[in-house]
Amino acid sequence: AEQAVQVCRSSMLSRAALVAPRLSRGFRAAKPAQDVLAPDTSGPLMAQYHKLNWALLGLTPVAFAVSPSLLAMPVDLALGVAFPLHAHFAMNCVIADYAEKFLGKGAKGPSRVAMLGLTGVTLLGFLRLNLTGEGITGTVKRLWRKST
Protein backbone atom coordinates (compact mmCIF):
# COMPACT_ATOMS: atom_id res chain seq x y z
CA ALA A 1 0.00 0.00 0.00
CA GLU A 2 2.88 2.32 0.84
CA GLN A 3 4.44 1.64 -2.54
CA ALA A 4 1.16 2.50 -4.30
CA VAL A 5 1.01 5.84 -2.46
CA GLN A 6 4.61 6.54 -3.47
CA VAL A 7 3.80 5.87 -7.15
CA CYS A 8 0.73 8.07 -6.94
CA ARG A 9 2.73 10.92 -5.38
CA SER A 10 5.46 10.64 -7.97
CA SER A 11 2.96 10.69 -10.85
CA MET A 12 1.23 13.75 -9.30
CA LEU A 13 4.57 15.49 -9.01
CA SER A 14 5.50 14.69 -12.58
CA ARG A 15 2.06 15.87 -13.75
CA ALA A 16 2.55 19.11 -11.77
CA ALA A 17 6.00 19.48 -13.29
CA LEU A 18 4.49 19.20 -16.77
CA VAL A 19 1.67 21.66 -16.07
CA ALA A 20 3.68 24.29 -14.12
CA PRO A 21 5.87 25.43 -17.03
CA ARG A 22 2.79 25.94 -19.20
CA LEU A 23 1.16 28.08 -16.52
CA SER A 24 4.30 30.10 -15.90
CA ARG A 25 4.83 30.69 -19.62
CA GLY A 26 1.35 32.17 -19.82
CA PHE A 27 2.13 34.38 -16.86
CA ARG A 28 5.40 35.59 -18.37
CA ALA A 29 3.75 36.22 -21.74
CA ALA A 30 1.85 39.21 -20.34
CA LYS A 31 4.29 42.08 -20.83
CA PRO A 32 2.93 45.34 -19.40
CA ALA A 33 5.40 47.45 -21.38
CA GLN A 34 4.24 45.83 -24.61
CA ASP A 35 0.62 46.44 -23.62
CA VAL A 36 1.31 50.16 -23.16
CA LEU A 37 3.07 50.35 -26.52
CA ALA A 38 0.47 48.23 -28.31
CA PRO A 39 -2.84 48.44 -26.44
CA ASP A 40 -4.71 47.24 -29.52
CA THR A 41 -3.16 43.78 -28.98
CA SER A 42 -4.41 43.51 -25.39
CA GLY A 43 -7.97 42.36 -24.80
CA PRO A 44 -8.27 43.89 -21.30
CA LEU A 45 -6.92 47.25 -22.47
CA MET A 46 -9.31 47.33 -25.41
CA ALA A 47 -12.15 46.61 -22.97
CA GLN A 48 -10.95 49.61 -20.93
CA TYR A 49 -10.87 51.66 -24.13
CA HIS A 50 -14.55 50.89 -24.77
CA LYS A 51 -15.43 51.82 -21.19
CA LEU A 52 -13.44 55.02 -21.65
CA ASN A 53 -15.61 55.89 -24.66
CA TRP A 54 -18.69 55.79 -22.41
CA ALA A 55 -16.94 57.82 -19.72
CA LEU A 56 -16.02 60.52 -22.24
CA LEU A 57 -19.55 60.51 -23.59
CA GLY A 58 -20.82 61.34 -20.11
CA LEU A 59 -18.00 63.56 -18.83
CA THR A 60 -17.80 65.95 -21.77
CA PRO A 61 -21.30 67.47 -21.42
CA VAL A 62 -20.95 67.48 -17.63
CA ALA A 63 -17.71 69.46 -17.98
CA PHE A 64 -19.45 72.19 -19.95
CA ALA A 65 -22.44 72.23 -17.60
CA VAL A 66 -20.34 72.74 -14.44
CA SER A 67 -17.58 74.85 -16.00
CA PRO A 68 -17.55 78.05 -13.95
CA SER A 69 -17.70 76.25 -10.56
CA LEU A 70 -15.59 74.21 -8.14
CA LEU A 71 -16.76 70.98 -9.78
CA ALA A 72 -15.04 71.93 -13.03
CA MET A 73 -11.52 71.12 -11.84
CA PRO A 74 -12.03 67.41 -11.01
CA VAL A 75 -13.97 66.92 -14.24
CA ASP A 76 -11.24 68.73 -16.21
CA LEU A 77 -8.57 66.58 -14.54
CA ALA A 78 -10.51 63.44 -15.50
CA LEU A 79 -10.85 64.69 -19.07
CA GLY A 80 -7.13 65.55 -19.09
CA VAL A 81 -6.37 61.88 -18.54
CA ALA A 82 -9.23 60.38 -20.54
CA PHE A 83 -8.69 62.27 -23.82
CA PRO A 84 -4.98 61.36 -24.23
CA LEU A 85 -5.65 57.71 -23.30
CA HIS A 86 -8.53 57.55 -25.75
CA ALA A 87 -6.34 59.03 -28.49
CA HIS A 88 -3.47 56.66 -27.60
CA PHE A 89 -5.64 53.55 -27.88
CA ALA A 90 -7.34 54.68 -31.08
CA MET A 91 -4.16 55.83 -32.82
CA ASN A 92 -2.45 52.54 -32.02
CA CYS A 93 -5.26 50.80 -33.91
CA VAL A 94 -4.54 53.12 -36.85
CA ILE A 95 -0.80 52.44 -36.54
CA ALA A 96 -1.44 48.68 -36.55
CA ASP A 97 -3.45 48.98 -39.75
CA TYR A 98 -1.51 51.56 -41.75
CA ALA A 99 2.06 52.14 -40.49
CA GLU A 100 3.69 49.37 -42.51
CA LYS A 101 1.50 50.11 -45.53
CA PHE A 102 2.52 53.78 -45.80
CA LEU A 103 5.83 53.97 -43.93
CA GLY A 104 7.37 50.62 -44.82
CA LYS A 105 8.31 47.48 -42.96
CA GLY A 106 9.54 48.00 -39.44
CA ALA A 107 7.69 51.29 -39.02
CA LYS A 108 5.10 49.95 -36.60
CA GLY A 109 7.41 49.81 -33.55
CA PRO A 110 8.90 53.31 -33.89
CA SER A 111 5.44 54.70 -34.65
CA ARG A 112 4.08 53.17 -31.45
CA VAL A 113 6.97 54.62 -29.43
CA ALA A 114 6.37 58.05 -30.97
CA MET A 115 2.66 57.76 -30.13
CA LEU A 116 3.52 56.90 -26.52
CA GLY A 117 5.71 60.01 -26.34
CA LEU A 118 2.98 62.15 -27.85
CA THR A 119 0.47 60.74 -25.36
CA GLY A 120 2.81 61.58 -22.47
CA VAL A 121 3.37 65.14 -23.69
CA THR A 122 -0.38 65.62 -24.18
CA LEU A 123 -1.08 64.30 -20.68
CA LEU A 124 1.45 66.71 -19.19
CA GLY A 125 0.10 69.61 -21.26
CA PHE A 126 -3.47 68.98 -20.11
CA LEU A 127 -2.27 68.65 -16.53
CA ARG A 128 -0.50 72.01 -16.75
CA LEU A 129 -3.54 73.62 -18.38
CA ASN A 130 -5.82 72.24 -15.67
CA LEU A 131 -3.59 73.17 -12.72
CA THR A 132 -2.26 76.57 -13.81
CA GLY A 133 -4.72 77.79 -16.45
CA GLU A 134 -8.43 77.91 -17.11
CA GLY A 135 -8.75 74.17 -17.50
CA ILE A 136 -9.80 72.28 -20.59
CA THR A 137 -13.43 73.39 -20.58
CA GLY A 138 -12.58 77.01 -19.78
CA THR A 139 -10.12 77.10 -22.65
CA VAL A 140 -12.61 75.56 -25.08
CA LYS A 141 -15.36 77.94 -23.91
CA ARG A 142 -13.04 80.86 -24.56
CA LEU A 143 -13.22 80.04 -28.28
CA TRP A 144 -16.84 81.25 -28.29
CA ARG A 145 -16.40 84.32 -26.08
CA LYS A 146 -16.20 87.67 -27.75
CA SER A 147 -12.78 89.25 -27.38
CA THR A 148 -12.76 92.61 -25.66
Side-chain angles (χ1 to χ4, degrees):
E2 191 174 313
Q3 195 174 21
V5 170
Q6 191 73 359
V7 169
C8 183
R9 281 187 187 152
S10 67
S11 67
M12 285 177 22
L13 288 175
S14 64
R15 191 174 306 132
L18 291 174
V19 173
R22 280 186 270 155
L23 293 175
S24 63
R25 268 188 245 125
F27 177 73
R28 280 182 268 161
K31 299 174 185 146
Q34 183 181 3
D35 287 349
V36 171
L37 280 176
D40 55 311
T41 62
S42 169
L45 283 181
M46 287 309 291
Q48 291 301 319
Y49 169 70
H50 293 296
K51 290 176 185 172
L52 189 62
N53 289 340
W54 288 105
L56 283 171
L57 189 64
L59 273 177
T60 304
V62 168
F64 286 102
V66 301
S67 181
S69 71
L70 290 174
L71 292 174
M73 185 164 186
V75 175
D76 278 348
L77 287 171
L79 287 175
V81 172
F83 279 131
L85 285 178
H86 174 77
H88 181 73
F89 289 169
M91 285 306 297
N92 268 291
C93 292
V94 172
I95 288 169
D97 290 341
Y98 297 108
E100 288 181 353
K101 184 176 182 180
F102 291 109
L103 303 174
K105 290 186 179 187
K108 196 183 294 187
S111 298
R112 289 184 191 273
V113 171
M115 188 63 218
L116 183 63
L118 185 62
T119 301
V121 168
T122 306
L123 249 164
L124 292 175
F126 278 157
L127 183 64
R128 181 174 182 214
L129 179 66
N130 287 329
L131 295 179
T132 63
E134 295 179 86
I136 294 172
T137 53
T139 303
V140 171
K141 280 186 166 185
R142 191 169 35 152
L143 294 171
W144 284 276
R145 284 190 208 130
K146 291 187 178 187
S147 58
T148 56

mmCIF file with all atom_site columns, all heavy atoms in Angstrom, residues 1-12:
data_model
loop_
_atom_site.group_PDB
_atom_site.id
_atom_site.type_symbol
_atom_site.label_atom_id
_atom_site.label_alt_id
_atom_site.label_comp_id
_atom_site.label_asym_id
_atom_site.label_entity_id
_atom_site.label_seq_id
_atom_site.pdbx_PDB_ins_code
_atom_site.Cartn_x
_atom_site.Cartn_y
_atom_site.Cartn_z
_atom_site.occupancy
_atom_site.B_iso_or_equiv
_atom_site.pdbx_formal_charge
_atom_site.auth_seq_id
_atom_site.auth_comp_id
_atom_site.auth_asym_id
_atom_site.auth_atom_id
_atom_site.pdbx_PDB_model_num
ATOM 1  N N   . ALA A 1 1  ? 0.828  -1.184 0.000   1.00 0.00 ? 1  ALA A N   1
ATOM 2  C CA  . ALA A 1 1  ? 0.000  0.000  0.000   1.00 0.00 ? 1  ALA A CA  1
ATOM 3  C C   . ALA A 1 1  ? 0.876  1.252  0.000   1.00 0.00 ? 1  ALA A C   1
ATOM 4  O O   . ALA A 1 1  ? 0.572  2.220  -0.669  1.00 0.00 ? 1  ALA A O   1
ATOM 5  C CB  . ALA A 1 1  ? -0.921 -0.003 1.214   1.00 0.00 ? 1  ALA A CB  1
ATOM 6  N N   . GLU A 1 2  ? 1.986  1.168  0.783   1.00 0.00 ? 2  GLU A N   1
ATOM 7  C CA  . GLU A 1 2  ? 2.879  2.323  0.844   1.00 0.00 ? 2  GLU A CA  1
ATOM 8  C C   . GLU A 1 2  ? 3.534  2.573  -0.506  1.00 0.00 ? 2  GLU A C   1
ATOM 9  O O   . GLU A 1 2  ? 3.739  3.714  -0.918  1.00 0.00 ? 2  GLU A O   1
ATOM 10 C CB  . GLU A 1 2  ? 3.942  2.071  1.910   1.00 0.00 ? 2  GLU A CB  1
ATOM 11 C CG  . GLU A 1 2  ? 4.753  3.294  2.228   1.00 0.00 ? 2  GLU A CG  1
ATOM 12 C CD  . GLU A 1 2  ? 5.683  3.039  3.393   1.00 0.00 ? 2  GLU A CD  1
ATOM 13 O OE1 . GLU A 1 2  ? 5.254  2.483  4.412   1.00 0.00 ? 2  GLU A OE1 1
ATOM 14 O OE2 . GLU A 1 2  ? 6.855  3.411  3.236   1.00 0.00 ? 2  GLU A OE2 1
ATOM 15 N N   . GLN A 1 3  ? 3.830  1.498  -1.221  1.00 0.00 ? 3  GLN A N   1
ATOM 16 C CA  . GLN A 1 3  ? 4.438  1.640  -2.537  1.00 0.00 ? 3  GLN A CA  1
ATOM 17 C C   . GLN A 1 3  ? 3.448  2.259  -3.538  1.00 0.00 ? 3  GLN A C   1
ATOM 18 O O   . GLN A 1 3  ? 3.830  3.070  -4.370  1.00 0.00 ? 3  GLN A O   1
ATOM 19 C CB  . GLN A 1 3  ? 4.893  0.256  -3.021  1.00 0.00 ? 3  GLN A CB  1
ATOM 20 C CG  . GLN A 1 3  ? 5.825  0.316  -4.180  1.00 0.00 ? 3  GLN A CG  1
ATOM 21 C CD  . GLN A 1 3  ? 6.358  -1.067 -4.516  1.00 0.00 ? 3  GLN A CD  1
ATOM 22 O OE1 . GLN A 1 3  ? 5.752  -2.073 -4.147  1.00 0.00 ? 3  GLN A OE1 1
ATOM 23 N NE2 . GLN A 1 3  ? 7.477  -1.109 -5.211  1.00 0.00 ? 3  GLN A NE2 1
ATOM 24 N N   . ALA A 1 4  ? 2.170  1.933  -3.414  1.00 0.00 ? 4  ALA A N   1
ATOM 25 C CA  . ALA A 1 4  ? 1.157  2.499  -4.302  1.00 0.00 ? 4  ALA A CA  1
ATOM 26 C C   . ALA A 1 4  ? 1.015  4.004  -4.054  1.00 0.00 ? 4  ALA A C   1
ATOM 27 O O   . ALA A 1 4  ? 0.846  4.790  -4.988  1.00 0.00 ? 4  ALA A O   1
ATOM 28 C CB  . ALA A 1 4  ? -0.184 1.804  -4.081  1.00 0.00 ? 4  ALA A CB  1
ATOM 29 N N   . VAL A 1 5  ? 1.093  4.419  -2.790  1.00 0.00 ? 5  VAL A N   1
ATOM 30 C CA  . VAL A 1 5  ? 1.007  5.845  -2.461  1.00 0.00 ? 5  VAL A CA  1
ATOM 31 C C   . VAL A 1 5  ? 2.214  6.575  -3.039  1.00 0.00 ? 5  VAL A C   1
ATOM 32 O O   . VAL A 1 5  ? 2.098  7.673  -3.566  1.00 0.00 ? 5  VAL A O   1
ATOM 33 C CB  . VAL A 1 5  ? 0.904  6.038  -0.931  1.00 0.00 ? 5  VAL A CB  1
ATOM 34 C CG1 . VAL A 1 5  ? 1.054  7.496  -0.554  1.00 0.00 ? 5  VAL A CG1 1
ATOM 35 C CG2 . VAL A 1 5  ? -0.418 5.492  -0.422  1.00 0.00 ? 5  VAL A CG2 1
ATOM 36 N N   . GLN A 1 6  ? 3.383  5.941  -2.942  1.00 0.00 ? 6  GLN A N   1
ATOM 37 C CA  . GLN A 1 6  ? 4.613  6.540  -3.472  1.00 0.00 ? 6  GLN A CA  1
ATOM 38 C C   . GLN A 1 6  ? 4.505  6.736  -4.987  1.00 0.00 ? 6  GLN A C   1
ATOM 39 O O   . GLN A 1 6  ? 4.895  7.772  -5.514  1.00 0.00 ? 6  GLN A O   1
ATOM 40 C CB  . GLN A 1 6  ? 5.810  5.638  -3.124  1.00 0.00 ? 6  GLN A CB  1
ATOM 41 C CG  . GLN A 1 6  ? 7.141  6.234  -3.378  1.00 0.00 ? 6  GLN A CG  1
ATOM 42 C CD  . GLN A 1 6  ? 7.472  7.316  -2.348  1.00 0.00 ? 6  GLN A CD  1
ATOM 43 O OE1 . GLN A 1 6  ? 6.703  7.639  -1.464  1.00 0.00 ? 6  GLN A OE1 1
ATOM 44 N NE2 . GLN A 1 6  ? 8.635  7.898  -2.507  1.00 0.00 ? 6  GLN A NE2 1
ATOM 45 N N   . VAL A 1 7  ? 3.958  5.769  -5.712  1.00 0.00 ? 7  VAL A N   1
ATOM 46 C CA  . VAL A 1 7  ? 3.798  5.865  -7.154  1.00 0.00 ? 7  VAL A CA  1
ATOM 47 C C   . VAL A 1 7  ? 2.803  6.974  -7.484  1.00 0.00 ? 7  VAL A C   1
ATOM 48 O O   . VAL A 1 7  ? 3.017  7.773  -8.390  1.00 0.00 ? 7  VAL A O   1
ATOM 49 C CB  . VAL A 1 7  ? 3.336  4.507  -7.732  1.00 0.00 ? 7  VAL A CB  1
ATOM 50 C CG1 . VAL A 1 7  ? 2.913  4.653  -9.185  1.00 0.00 ? 7  VAL A CG1 1
ATOM 51 C CG2 . VAL A 1 7  ? 4.431  3.477  -7.590  1.00 0.00 ? 7  VAL A CG2 1
ATOM 52 N N   . CYS A 1 8  ? 1.730  7.046  -6.700  1.00 0.00 ? 8  CYS A N   1
ATOM 53 C CA  . CYS A 1 8  ? 0.731  8.073  -6.937  1.00 0.00 ? 8  CYS A CA  1
ATOM 54 C C   . CYS A 1 8  ? 1.322  9.467  -6.722  1.00 0.00 ? 8  CYS A C   1
ATOM 55 O O   . CYS A 1 8  ? 1.093  10.372 -7.502  1.00 0.00 ? 8  CYS A O   1
ATOM 56 C CB  . CYS A 1 8  ? -0.461 7.847  -5.998  1.00 0.00 ? 8  CYS A CB  1
ATOM 57 S SG  . CYS A 1 8  ? -1.794 9.016  -6.268  1.00 0.00 ? 8  CYS A SG  1
ATOM 58 N N   . ARG A 1 9  ? 2.096  9.634  -5.655  1.00 0.00 ? 9  ARG A N   1
ATOM 59 C CA  . ARG A 1 9  ? 2.732  10.924 -5.383  1.00 0.00 ? 9  ARG A CA  1
ATOM 60 C C   . ARG A 1 9  ? 3.709  11.300 -6.494  1.00 0.00 ? 9  ARG A C   1
ATOM 61 O O   . ARG A 1 9  ? 3.752  12.443 -6.925  1.00 0.00 ? 9  ARG A O   1
ATOM 62 C CB  . ARG A 1 9  ? 3.460  10.897 -4.050  1.00 0.00 ? 9  ARG A CB  1
ATOM 63 C CG  . ARG A 1 9  ? 2.556  11.065 -2.881  1.00 0.00 ? 9  ARG A CG  1
ATOM 64 C CD  . ARG A 1 9  ? 3.361  11.202 -1.612  1.00 0.00 ? 9  ARG A CD  1
ATOM 65 N NE  . ARG A 1 9  ? 2.470  11.198 -0.475  1.00 0.00 ? 9  ARG A NE  1
ATOM 66 C CZ  . ARG A 1 9  ? 2.783  10.799 0.712   1.00 0.00 ? 9  ARG A CZ  1
ATOM 67 N NH1 . ARG A 1 9  ? 4.000  10.347 0.952   1.00 0.00 ? 9  ARG A NH1 1
ATOM 68 N NH2 . ARG A 1 9  ? 1.920  10.828 1.687   1.00 0.00 ? 9  ARG A NH2 1
ATOM 69 N N   . SER A 1 10 ? 4.482  10.328 -6.935  1.00 0.00 ? 10 SER A N   1
ATOM 70 C CA  . SER A 1 10 ? 5.461  10.643 -7.974  1.00 0.00 ? 10 SER A CA  1
ATOM 71 C C   . SER A 1 10 ? 4.765  11.004 -9.288  1.00 0.00 ? 10 SER A C   1
ATOM 72 O O   . SER A 1 10 ? 5.218  11.881 -10.009 1.00 0.00 ? 10 SER A O   1
ATOM 73 C CB  . SER A 1 10 ? 6.432  9.486  -8.175  1.00 0.00 ? 10 SER A CB  1
ATOM 74 O OG  . SER A 1 10 ? 5.748  8.370  -8.706  1.00 0.00 ? 10 SER A OG  1
ATOM 75 N N   . SER A 1 11 ? 3.648  10.341 -9.613  1.00 0.00 ? 11 SER A N   1
ATOM 76 C CA  . SER A 1 11 ? 2.957  10.694 -10.848 1.00 0.00 ? 11 SER A CA  1
ATOM 77 C C   . SER A 1 11 ? 2.290  12.060 -10.714 1.00 0.00 ? 11 SER A C   1
ATOM 78 O O   . SER A 1 11 ? 2.205  12.819 -11.672 1.00 0.00 ? 11 SER A O   1
ATOM 79 C CB  . SER A 1 11 ? 1.927  9.628  -11.221 1.00 0.00 ? 11 SER A CB  1
ATOM 80 O OG  . SER A 1 11 ? 0.883  9.598  -10.274 1.00 0.00 ? 11 SER A OG  1
ATOM 81 N N   . MET A 1 12 ? 1.810  12.420 -9.498  1.00 0.00 ? 12 MET A N   1
ATOM 82 C CA  . MET A 1 12 ? 1.230  13.748 -9.298  1.00 0.00 ? 12 MET A CA  1
ATOM 83 C C   . MET A 1 12 ? 2.304  14.816 -9.420  1.00 0.00 ? 12 MET A C   1
ATOM 84 O O   . MET A 1 12 ? 2.080  15.864 -10.003 1.00 0.00 ? 12 MET A O   1
ATOM 85 C CB  . MET A 1 12 ? 0.546  13.834 -7.923  1.00 0.00 ? 12 MET A CB  1
ATOM 86 C CG  . MET A 1 12 ? -0.789 13.100 -7.910  1.00 0.00 ? 12 MET A CG  1
ATOM 87 S SD  . MET A 1 12 ? -1.681 13.042 -6.336  1.00 0.00 ? 12 MET A SD  1
ATOM 88 C CE  . MET A 1 12 ? -1.090 14.351 -5.375  1.00 0.00 ? 12 MET A CE  1
#
